[in-house]
Amino acid sequence: MGLQNIFGKKKEEQTVQPTAPATPPAETQGQPSTPTPPPSIEEPKKTSPEVKTLDIDDNMAHRHGSIRPHMRPHAFVIMPFGKKKGNGDIVYDFNAIYTQLIKPTLEMAGFEPFRADEETSSGDILTDMFQELLLADLCIVDMSIDNANVFYELGIRHAFRKRGIVHIQAGRAYMPFDVFNVRTIPYHITNEGVPDPEYLEKDKAAIARVTRDTWASDKDAVHSPVFNILTGLVEPDRKTLRTHLATGFWREYNEWKQRVTVAQRQKRIGDILLLTEEIRNPLIKEEAIGEAGKALGDMGRHELALDQYRKGLEVNARNPEFRRKEAFHLNRLKRVDDAIIKIESLIADSPNDSEAISYLGRIYKEMWVDSWRWVEQKDKRLKTAFDSYHWLLKSIDTYLQGYRVDLNNFYPGVNALTLSTILVELADKFEDPKSPDPEIGWVRKNLEEMRGSLMFALEALINNNKADYWCLVSLAELKVLAAENVHDVMRSYRKALIASRRTTSFLESSLEQLEMLRDLDMRPEFVRAGIQVIEDELQRMRKEEADEDDRNSFGEQKFDEKKDGNIFLFTGYMIDHPKKKESRFPVEKEPDIKKAINTVLEKYNAGPNDLAVTTGMDAGSEIIFVESCVERGIPVQAYFPVFEAPYVRDFVSPGGEQWVERFYKMRNHPLVDEFYQPNQVGLPKEGDDVHERNNRWALYSALVRGIDKVRLIAVWDGRGEFSRDQDARLVKHMVDLMRDMGGMVEQINPFKLSHSIVMGGPLARMEPPAKEITPLLKQPQRPAPRKKK
């Protein structure tokens, strides 16, 4: 194995990089790979007015046939507005051409069309238009007439983006000289200057086919004549084309970021997942996914962060940060081989990516730690750690390579120094002095020089007030290894705490490093001092979080997302009432459904360490479920699609006043927390059904302990056909969401309760219903002022 150092190289130097192909051309870096084509070009199925906002049935799907929102690529339309005179006596009605031909064609082809005059909320239509022009996935330009604005915008797109443009025209026999050789798709108009009905469908199909082919073309395809002629021209990174003056264009992202920042602080995973899923602009989505992945990673939800970064790679497969984080979280999930393959592939593409090389060094370090940490007896543990020092050398070598690539990135340098110090300490105890390993000797020789150089560089950066948390904590880690005074170590860690901004994942990562040193019996007094500072801070943070919990004033235990309990997500029918279109929950079935719900909860021995999540508390199975949970001491989170008053009016009152009393009884219970969609995550996007959105929100919120801990209890008759009853459709929609995510469903069929079948096993035969349904109904209770929020 070849070790290298920033201060010198060995005679037989080797690197840890795999043999890599040549670096891809600069113009392809940071750009999207070949994208997945939009949905097939078909006319959307028409639905009745009653179901136009629902998209949950196999037979009556609308929009894109998905149970979740579908992100469509952006298509910016460059064309004149209104009526304009062309060559000869023809007057073109470009508004009619847009509404009858271009816009429906783009929608049919799976794009999100946008024309500058459609932005009504922008503060500056010009800057918003330029952002769309430069950043849209595809531009379609109508060159039917010699319009100065159109050709100016066309020239800008040709100059800055090498691919993603479609040219169309109607009614002209020739094109201007500069673009005469550009492929242009013709369409037909009438003498009135509107799309010709006789050719309309054929023109739509032709333009849609070209737009899809252009979008799905190879990532290195060149559509711009400028880039075709100037073969050495480098396309700029799209991030450099961003202007904050385009307030309308970036409004969606800014609003998203504000809500996600709050959700991250409150550890509300469901809010982050829902809000990120709903972003439509692909470029904004790329940035949002990166922020969401970071937020979920900081919260320790590595499986959810991994899913976000993989979605980001679908948007831009060349995003290096997404590729690094994919490997990082794969490693955190103990999928080591997958992580190594991913990170080595990235290093092959970008050999000078210091951060990627550092991630690989971390993987090797963890492989070494896993080889000895399981040994309980200290002396044997230390000997085992030394016996597997080949992985330690591999990690040191990799970290040093990452540091040499970027001397301003102290993370790999400090890790190389820490591991080198450990290696020398272990070698002093266990290496055969008669046959020393020359690799260890090389590490020993360079150790002091490495320590001094890193210490000097870090202190200089800190003195210039340019240090972030990782710089400050790196200096603290060096002092653990070299300081003569314990208080010097504690002061260094306390200074780093200020820069951590109380990010739990930062502190836990530093604590993990110190615990590794503790397990190796390295400088115990100094290591304990560092651990004490971090643990005290984490304890203060947890206490403050507990104090902020509203339920504490009632003496209840706060729900802990890190415990091992289950999450019981619930969906079920409302009780039958006169306004319901179909009978799904006859009144006489209430005792049986209550019994069936309790049977499922008993199956899992449900209790205070679990969590219940519902999509509201309607008159029927949801209130019954909440009552059953609080009887067992299970905390409940109820997610409502609308504010309380309209919800009670539409979903509780139809069952009768006794259900309203039961609703407020549960609403006021200290174990029950409510979250209202308009407050927490804002209003739904246009075309998104608020109740389907509420299902997704509740499901994503239930992922706080991972999908493997979630059990969906569904009072559902199992019918697969489309229903005109909203209540029935939403129950099936939740079941479909859960199945799509690979989760477990416990079904309670209200029409088979005498021999109830629960998915995964039969329920016990139902006993005759008791005379009293629940003691909660003995004393009526009027709505009371809220104590919790």
Side-chain angles (χ1 to χ4, degrees), residues 689-703:
D689 180 79
V690 67
H691 302 290
E692 288 185 4
R693 186 184 192 227
N694 208 60
N695 276 353
R696 299 195 306 273
W697 186 31
L699 173 57
Y700 298 157
S701 299
L703 298 176

Side-chain angles (χ1 to χ4, degrees), residues 333-619:
L333 293 168
K334 303 302 181 184
R335 296 169 59 180
V336 178
D337 291 339
D338 291 339
I340 291 176
I341 290 171
K342 295 291 185 182
I343 207 69
E344 287 185 339
S345 174
L346 174 55
I347 294 172
D349 293 340
S350 304
N352 293 325
D353 190 330
S354 174
E355 194 169 350
I357 298 171
S358 300
Y359 280 180
L360 186 59
R362 176 175 181 144
I363 292 172
Y364 291 139
K365 180 182 79 172
E366 292 182 2
M367 292 172 68
W368 171 70
V369 170
D370 289 342
S371 71
W372 54 263
R373 202 162 216 168
W374 55 274
V375 181
E376 293 184 7
Q377 205 276 329
K378 186 181 75 171
D379 291 340
K380 186 177 180 181
R381 181 168 65 246
L382 299 180
K383 180 63 166 62
T384 305
F386 177 75
D387 289 343
S388 54
Y389 73 81
H390 48 284
W391 287 117
L392 187 53
L393 283 169
K394 182 74 169 175
S395 180
I396 294 170
D397 190 26
T398 309
Y399 275 129
L400 283 174
Q401 182 187 346
Y403 188 38
R404 293 186 73 240
V405 166
D406 182 3
L407 297 178
N408 291 319
N409 183 5
F410 293 103
Y411 170 79
V414 172
N415 272 279
L417 175 60
T418 300
L419 297 182
S420 297
T421 304
I422 291 172
L423 177 60
V424 170
E425 290 274 348
L426 292 173
D428 288 343
K429 293 180 179 178
F430 301 108
E431 188 180 35
D432 184 355
K434 296 180 181 180
S435 181
D437 189 321
E439 296 287 346
I440 297 177
W442 184 87
V443 171
R444 188 190 301 274
K445 178 182 176 181
N446 289 277
L447 185 59
E448 287 306 316
E449 185 180 358
M450 191 191 314
R451 179 182 292 119
S453 297
L454 278 167
M455 189 81 75
F456 176 80
L458 284 169
E459 288 178 342
L461 191 64
I462 291 169
N463 290 335
N464 290 331
N465 295 319
K466 296 181 179 179
D468 60 5
Y469 171 77
W470 296 111
C471 179
L472 291 166
V473 84
S474 293
L475 181 60
E477 289 176 6
L478 290 185
K479 292 193 174 183
V480 167
L481 300 175
E484 297 180 358
N485 190 310
V486 170
H487 296 290
D488 195 16
V489 171
M490 299 180 75
R491 281 191 292 267
S492 295
Y493 273 104
R494 285 175 180 142
K495 191 170 184 178
L497 293 180
I498 299 172
S500 74
R501 297 183 180 180
R502 318 204 85 183
T503 303
T504 303
S505 64
F506 289 5
L507 301 181
E508 289 178 343
S509 177
S510 299
L511 185 61
E512 186 178 306
Q513 183 85 338
L514 288 168
E515 288 172 341
M516 177 188 70
L517 296 174
R518 178 198 62 194
D519 293 344
L520 291 168
D521 201 31
M522 295 280 297
R523 306 199 79 197
E525 185 180 1
F526 296 89
V527 170
R528 280 197 302 270
I531 289 175
Q532 187 64 51
V533 171
I534 294 179
E535 286 186 340
D536 286 348
E537 180 70 4
L538 287 170
Q539 187 174 1
R540 283 191 293 269
M541 289 165 59
R542 291 173 184 137
K543 183 178 185 302
E544 288 175 12
E545 290 173 2
D547 289 343
E548 291 173 0
D549 192 280
D550 295 330
R551 289 193 296 267
N552 284 348
S553 60
F554 296 90
E556 302 291 343
Q557 181 180 9
K558 180 185 176 184
F559 168 72
D560 184 353
E561 68 272 10
K562 294 186 178 181
K563 289 186 178 180
D564 294 329
N566 291 312
I567 310 291
F568 297 104
L569 178 63
F570 185 85
T571 187
Y573 300 130
M574 288 180 64
I575 197 128
D576 289 351
H577 57 83
K579 293 183 180 180
K580 285 201 73 174
K581 297 176 181 178
E582 300 172 1
S583 174
R584 303 277 176 152
F585 185 168
V587 175
E588 63 272 13
K589 291 289 184 180
E590 181 180 348
D592 291 343
I593 287 177
K594 171 84 170 181
K595 179 70 174 179
I597 289 172
N598 280 325
T599 301
V600 175
L601 295 175
E602 288 169 5
K603 172 182 175 181
Y604 292 98
N605 194 27
N609 285 336
D610 301 311
L611 175 69
V613 177
T614 75
T615 54
M617 288 191 289
D618 62 23

Side-chain angles (χ1 to χ4, degrees), residues 251-267:
R251 181 174 289 111
E252 180 185 23
Y253 174 77
N254 292 333
E255 292 175 352
W256 170 89
K257 190 164 186 178
Q258 289 175 7
R259 290 192 179 276
V260 166
T261 300
V262 174
Q264 182 181 6
R265 180 176 176 81
Q266 297 177 352
K267 297 187 177 181

